[in-house]
Amino acid sequence: MRTNHGTVAILLVGGLLGCASAPLPPKELIEARKSYERARTSAAAELAPADLRGATEAMERAEQAFAGGSELAEARDLAYLAGRRAQLAESLGRTAATERQRGAALQAYGEVHLALRRRGAPAVDPASPADPPRQEKAPTRSRAPERPVVILNRR
């Protein structure tokens, strides 16, 4: 029974020492991984694949530099660049998605505008503000002309 506890203790200490010897990734690499994951799951995968591919390649170079034991500064620099490329890809994907929505909205507006013109409704320019509804003024009462008020001092 004693040997089992001793063996477990030795394995536990060995495992802890083995983990302690592996260097932790720099914060730039951790942030780049998060940025890349966001970009990969965003609209960039469909709408900006070339930019996402560039971010993927930059991320692979950063991971290789860190795993290969390159100089830490080089791994940090590559990770920083990979993170920025991932953010750019994500941003370009969002921009493309917004442009797609804008095009769909303009097309829907055109269809509604055309349907209204066919019915004979007046055309409305989307750039000009709508005319506020006109309110009729209530008739004003004629009033007697005002006279000056004279105040006399009473003593």
Side-chain angles (χ1 to χ4, degrees):
M1 204 79 185
R2 256 180 165 247
T3 41
N4 286 342
H5 289 296
T7 305
V8 170
I10 290 174
L11 289 176
L12 184 62
V13 169
L16 290 175
L17 290 175
C19 291
S21 64
L24 294 176
K27 69 177 182 174
E28 292 85 359
L29 186 59
I30 293 170
E31 290 172 6
R33 288 173 181 165
K34 290 177 185 176
S35 294
Y36 177 72
E37 189 59 32
R38 272 194 317 268
R40 196 176 62 78
T41 59
S42 71
E46 178 188 349
L47 302 174
D51 296 298
L52 186 61
R53 193 170 24 261
T56 303
E57 292 168 1
M59 194 67 212
E60 288 171 355
R61 282 193 303 270
E63 292 286 358
Q64 288 172 356
F66 176 70
S70 296
E71 190 174 312
L72 187 59
E74 180 184 358
R76 282 183 178 166
D77 291 345
L78 290 172
Y80 177 82
L81 291 173
R84 299 298 81 70
R85 284 200 172 201
Q87 288 175 348
L88 178 63
E90 182 183 9
S91 178
L92 291 173
R94 277 195 316 261
T95 301
T98 302
E99 285 296 320
R100 187 180 273 187
Q101 289 174 346
R102 179 181 175 268
L106 285 174
Q107 182 178 1
Y109 170 77
E111 291 170 1
V112 169
H113 186 68
L114 183 61
L116 288 174
R117 287 184 68 193
R118 286 182 181 158
R119 287 187 189 167
V124 177
D125 183 14
S128 67
D131 292 333
R134 294 185 183 190
Q135 296 178 353
E136 302 220 7
K137 293 183 179 180
T140 57
R141 295 184 195 174
S142 64
R143 297 175 67 184
E146 293 184 18
R147 295 185 202 172
V149 177
V150 177
I151 301 177
L152 300 174
N153 284 335
R154 290 188 180 173
R155 289 192 192 214

